[in-house]
Amino acid sequence: MKRILGTPASDYLPAAALWIVTALYLQTAYRYTPAVRAFPAGVAWIMLLFLKIDLVSRTKTTRGGALSRWLNHAAAPAHPAETEAPQRARQAVAVLWLVLFAALIVLVGILVAVPAYLFAALRWQGRRSYRACALGAAGATLFVWLLFSVVLRIALYPGLLFGGA
Amino acid sequence: MLAVWLSGFLGLLQFRELLFLGLGMVIGVVFGAIPGLGGATALALLMPLTYGLEPFTALALSGGVMGAIPMGGSITAILLNAPGTAPSAATCLDGHPLAQQGKAGLAIGAAASANSLGGIIGTMSVLAVLPIAKQLVLLFGPPEFFLLAIFALVTVASASRGKLLRGLITGALGLMISFVGYSDVTGGEWFTLGSEYLWDGIPLVPSLIGLFAVAEMINLAAKGGTVSRSADTVKVTGMWSGVIETFRHPVTVLRGSLIGTFIGAIPGESGTVAAFLSYSLTVQASKDPESFGKGNIEGVIAPEAAINAKDGSALIPTIAFGIPSGAEMAVFLGILVLHGMQPGPLMLMQNQTEIYGLVWALTLSCLLASSLGLLFVRPLSLITLIDADVLVPLVLCVAFVGSYSVNGEIENVVVTAAFGLMGYLMIRFDYPRLTVVIAMVLGNTAERSFLQAMQMGDGDWSIFLNRRVSAILIACIVIMLAMPFMRALVRRVAPRKEARSAP
C-alpha cells in the first residue's frame, strides 16, 4: 500500500474527505453577508485548522508523533487493516441492504417495502425457511400497520410509484 | 408550603388518579422504547383524550407518561444501541458495550435504579427550588447561554477518551450540520441546497436513529453473530447487581441528578444536553476515564440519573414562564391550557395543588416504570442473543418507520440512512459520535445567544467577562480544555517517579 510520510495513504482519507466537505461548506458560507456568515464561517475555519492538525498528526514525523501523543493518544489507526475490521465484502453487503431498503421505502412505500425487505433479508441473509420468512415478514408488517396506522393514525407513506409526494 | 406538598400527594393517591398514572406509565415505557416516538408523540396523542378528564387526573396521566419515557428509551439504548429517545443516546455509550459483554441485566438494573434515584433527587430539588425558581433562571442571559453551550461541547470533546482532537473535529462537524435550515437570526435559509425539507434544519431524532441504531446495525451485520458477543456469558440475572452498583456510586448519581435538575430548569435546554453533560463530567472526574465507552457502569448511571432529574425541573420554565424546555414540554403546555391552566407566575400561586400533584406523579411514575423495567429485564436481555441476520432487518424496519413517523416526512428515511452510513464510518475510523450529537443540539442556541450577547455588548467581547456567571463558565471551559493535557502530563511524569522510587 502506498505510504505518505510513513503512514498508509488510506489513513489520511477521513480527514481529507472532511477537509473537502468543509471547504465546500465555507465556499457556500461566503455567499452570505459578512455579518450573517460570521458564526458558521468561523466554525468552518476552525474545522479546517483542526483537520490540518489531524492530517499532520497522522504522519510518522517528529511533529506528527508529538501532536498525536498530546491530542489523540487513544485513537485507533484509521487504516482498517490495523483494526478489527470486518471483511470488506460483508461491509459492502450490509450497506447495500440498508440503501436498498431505504430506496424501496421511498419508491413503493412502507407497507410494501417492509414485508418485501424482511422476506428477502431473512431468506438470503438469514437463510431461514420460506415459511419462517413469510411469517416474520407478515408479523412485522402487521405490527407496523397496527401501531403506526391504526393506533397512532399516522398515514404510512405510499411510495413515489403509488402516489406519494 | 408543607400542606400544599401533602395535598398534591394525597390528591394523587385516589383510585382514578392512580389508574391513569399507571396507564400513562405503560404508554410511556412503550413509546419511550420505540425509536422515533417518545414523549412528545405520546402526549400529543393523549391530549384530546384528556379533554373529558378532571385537570388533576389529566396531569396524573401526563406525569405517568413523562416519568416513564426515559426507562423505555434506556431499554432499547442498552440492548440494541437504538436510543428510544434522544437523551438515551448517552446511555448507549456504555450501556450497549455492557450488553455486548453479556451484562445487559446489570446495565438495565443500574439504569432503572439510577432513573428512580435521579427522579427522586430531581423532585426534591424542584420542591426546594420552585419558590425561588424565577430568580435562579434569570441569572442566565444570552452570554451565559452561549458559554454554557460551549462548555457542554468542550466537556464532551475532552471526555473523548484520549481523542480530544477527533472530538473537537466531530463537534465542529455537528455545529456545521446544526446551521443548516432557516435561521431566526438572519431571517433566511442557509445551506439547504434548495431543499424545502431542510428549511427546518436536519431533524434531530431521525439523525440520532441513524447515528446510533442504524450505524450499529450496519456494524453488527458486517461482523455477524449476536449483539452479545458470547451467548454463554449473557447474565440475565445481573439486574440486582446493577441496582447495587448504583448505590455504590452515590456521587455519580448525585452529580447526574443535580446536572439534570440544573439543565432542566434552563429554558430551551434539553434532556440530551443534561445526559451528555452528566456523562462527560463523570468521565472527567473518573480515575479510569479510558474504561468509558467500553462498558463502565458509571457511564450508564450518570446519564440516567440526569435524564429523570431533568424531567421534574423542566417543569419550572414551563410552568413559571410558559417557556417549554423541549417538544415534550411544549405539548404538555397545550394540555395545561386545554384544562384552563395558564402557565406563568399566576399559575404558581393559583394551581399549587395541581403542580405539586404533577411533580409527585412524575416521581411515582419513574419509580414504577423502573420496577417494570426490572421485572422484564430477563426476557428483554435475551434480545441480545438473537442472530444478527434476524435482528438487523427487524430493527431497521422499526428504525426507519419510527423515523418517518416523527413528522410524517419521507425525507426522514433518507436522513436516517445517511446518518447511519456516517455513523458507521465514524465507528470504523474511530471518531467519537457523541460530540456530533451534542453540537447538533446546541448549535442553534450557541449561534443565537452569541449574536444576542454581541448585540447586548455593542460588539464588545468583554460582555463575556464582566458578568459573574459568565466568568465562572469561562474558567470551567479553560479547565476542561486543559484537563486532557494535565492527564497526559501526569501519565508521563508518574512512571518516571515510580522508576526513581523503585529500589
Side-chain angles (χ1 to χ4, degrees):
Chain A
M1 185 177 289
K2 196 183 173 190
R3 287 180 175 263
I4 302 170
L5 293 173
T7 305
S10 59
D11 253 18
Y12 298 105
L13 273 179
L18 276 174
W19 207 93
I20 294 168
V21 170
T22 309
L24 289 172
Y25 186 92
L26 200 55
Q27 190 194 26
T28 314
Y30 270 82
R31 289 185 198 154
Y32 302 96
T33 59
V36 166
R37 70 177 178 234
F39 203 75
V43 170
W45 277 115
I46 291 170
M47 174 76 152
L48 287 179
L49 175 72
F50 287 157
L51 289 170
K52 194 174 173 185
I53 298 172
D54 192 23
L55 284 168
V56 175
S57 76
R58 286 164 193 272
T59 60
K60 295 278 186 280
T61 58
T62 317
R63 191 181 292 173
L67 281 173
S68 180
R69 244 190 334 274
W70 284 100
L71 297 169
N72 262 340
H73 69 89
H79 184 222
E82 293 173 40
T83 59
E84 288 176 49
Q87 291 173 352
R88 282 195 181 173
R90 279 193 76 99
Q91 289 184 73
V93 169
V95 171
L96 195 67
W97 274 107
L98 173 86
V99 174
L100 277 176
F101 182 38
L104 207 59
I105 290 179
V106 175
L107 282 176
V108 296
I110 289 167
L111 283 179
V112 178
V114 166
Y117 162 73
L118 270 175
F119 187 89
L122 290 175
R123 179 68 200 149
W124 284 295
Q125 284 284 99
R127 297 182 200 289
R128 298 298 195 271
S129 67
Y130 281 110
R131 195 181 150 159
C133 297
L135 278 173
T141 312
L142 187 68
F143 170 76
V144 164
W145 177 74
L146 274 177
L147 180 65
F148 291 95
S149 202
V150 177
V151 179
L152 302 181
R153 292 183 191 170
I154 294 170
L156 292 175
Y157 185 66
L160 283 175
L161 297 179
F162 301 112
Chain B
M1 181 58 66
L2 194 66
V4 192
W5 284 21
L6 275 176
S7 76
F9 186 65
L10 293 174
L12 197 65
L13 292 182
Q14 308 299 317
F15 175 73
R16 194 177 48 180
E17 273 67 28
L18 285 176
L19 183 76
F20 277 93
L21 175 76
L23 181 70
M25 184 196 77
V26 174
I27 294 171
V29 171
V30 173
F31 273 67
I34 298 175
L37 294 185
T41 314
L43 285 178
L45 285 163
L46 287 174
M47 196 192 317
L49 304 178
T50 67
Y51 192 68
L53 300 175
E54 292 288 317
F56 201 92
T57 317
L59 292 186
L61 179 70
S62 310
V65 173
M66 291 191 287
I69 287 282
M71 189 63 228
S74 312
I75 291 171
T76 40
I78 290 167
L79 295 178
L80 303 169
N81 208 24
T85 55
S88 302
T91 309
C92 289
L93 300 168
D94 275 278
H96 188 63
L98 279 168
Q100 287 177 321
Q101 293 160 22
K103 295 174 187 168
L106 178 86
I108 294 178
S113 44
N115 242 309
S116 301
L117 285 178
I120 293 168
I121 295 171
T123 303
M124 293 305 152
S125 314
V126 171
L127 291 176
V129 163
L130 212 51
I132 53 160
K134 197 175 169 184
Q135 287 87 337
L136 277 180
V137 175
L138 289 179
L139 281 176
F140 275 72
E144 287 78 18
F145 280 125
F146 170 71
L147 289 169
L148 191 68
I150 300 299
F151 172 66
L153 200 55
V154 167
T155 308
V156 175
S158 59
S160 304
R161 306 188 315 278
K163 286 177 270 184
L164 174 67
L165 182 60
R166 289 188 187 181
L168 290 172
I169 287 173
T170 48
L173 178 68
L175 282 177
M176 282 160 57
I177 293 170
S178 76
F179 296 142
V180 173
Y182 181 82
S183 166
D184 44 6
V185 178
T186 65
E189 44 94 17
W190 293 25
F191 310 107
T192 57
L193 307 170
S195 160
E196 268 182 48
Y197 168 75
L198 291 177
W199 270 54
D200 288 334
I202 292 179
L204 185 66
V205 177
S207 321
L208 280 181
I209 294 174
L211 266 180
F212 289 93
V214 175
E216 198 57 41
M217 287 302 116
I218 300 174
N219 198 29
L220 185 63
K223 284 183 175 168
T226 55
V227 170
S228 182
R229 283 175 191 143
S230 167
D232 303 328
T233 58
V234 174
K235 289 176 185 158
V236 289
T237 52
M239 58 182 175
W240 291 114
S241 315
V243 177
I244 292 165
E245 281 295 326
T246 303
F247 285 97
R248 282 180 58 197
H249 295 97
V251 178
T252 309
V253 175
L254 193 65
R255 182 173 44 231
S257 306
L258 293 179
I259 290 170
T261 308
F262 176 68
I263 298 285
I266 301 172
E269 298 297 339
S270 68
T272 315
V273 178
F276 278 104
L277 197 59
S278 169
Y279 178 87
S280 305
L281 288 176
T282 303
V283 177
Q284 294 286 7
S286 172
K287 287 175 185 164
D288 185 18
E290 307 293 321
S291 64
F292 282 82
K294 297 170 188 166
N296 188 321
I297 197 69
E298 280 189 88
V300 175
I301 297 167
E304 286 300 322
I307 293 168
N308 253 24
K310 173 251 160 202
D311 275 348
S313 63
L315 290 173
I316 295 173
T318 311
I319 291 171
F321 305 110
I323 304 171
S325 58
E328 187 179 300
M329 281 295 156
V331 183
F332 176 65
L333 204 72
I335 294 178
L336 290 178
V337 175
L338 189 74
H339 288 275
M341 289 174 263
Q342 195 58 49
L346 212 58
M347 188 179 166
L348 284 176
M349 288 187 279
Q350 288 179 345
N351 298 92
Q352 286 194 359
T353 309
E354 284 85 355
I355 292 170
Y356 287 109
L358 176 67
V359 173
W360 287 119
L362 273 172
T363 314
L364 265 182
S365 173
C366 85
L367 277 172
L368 294 172
S370 301
S371 314
L372 199 72
L374 286 177
L375 208 65
F376 289 105
V377 69
R378 283 186 197 200
L380 289 172
S381 299
L382 294 175
I383 292 175
T384 62
L385 291 179
I386 299 174
D387 195 57
D389 292 331
V390 175
L391 188 67
V392 171
L394 289 171
V395 173
L396 285 184
C397 282
V398 177
F400 278 128
V401 181
S403 164
Y404 165 78
S405 71
V406 171
N407 53 6
E409 293 199 72
I410 193 62
E411 289 88 344
N412 289 353
V413 171
V414 181
V415 168
T416 300
F419 272 81
L421 288 175
M422 186 172 109
Y424 178 65
L425 288 174
M426 290 174 83
I427 295 172
R428 293 294 318 121
F429 291 106
D430 199 26
Y431 279 82
R433 285 173 288 174
L434 77 161
T435 33
V436 176
V437 178
I438 203 86
M440 281 175 70
V441 173
L442 291 172
N444 285 324
T445 308
E447 186 200 5
R448 191 177 51 248
S449 306
F450 174 78
L451 291 172
Q452 283 172 346
M454 293 307 280
Q455 280 170 357
M456 275 172 68
D458 288 328
D460 187 356
W461 289 75
S462 63
I463 189 154
F464 294 108
L465 296 166
N466 295 340
R467 297 158 68 104
R468 199 175 298 163
V469 180
S470 292
I472 294 170
L473 284 167
I474 288 175
C476 292
I477 291 168
V478 173
I479 291 169
M480 281 299 153
L481 275 174
M483 198 81 91
F485 297 100
M486 291 193 301
R487 277 219 188 91
L489 207 63
V490 169
R491 254 198 315 274
R492 291 181 64 156
V493 171
R496 281 185 213 161
K497 271 189 180 171
E498 274 174 28
R500 254 180 285 170
S501 60

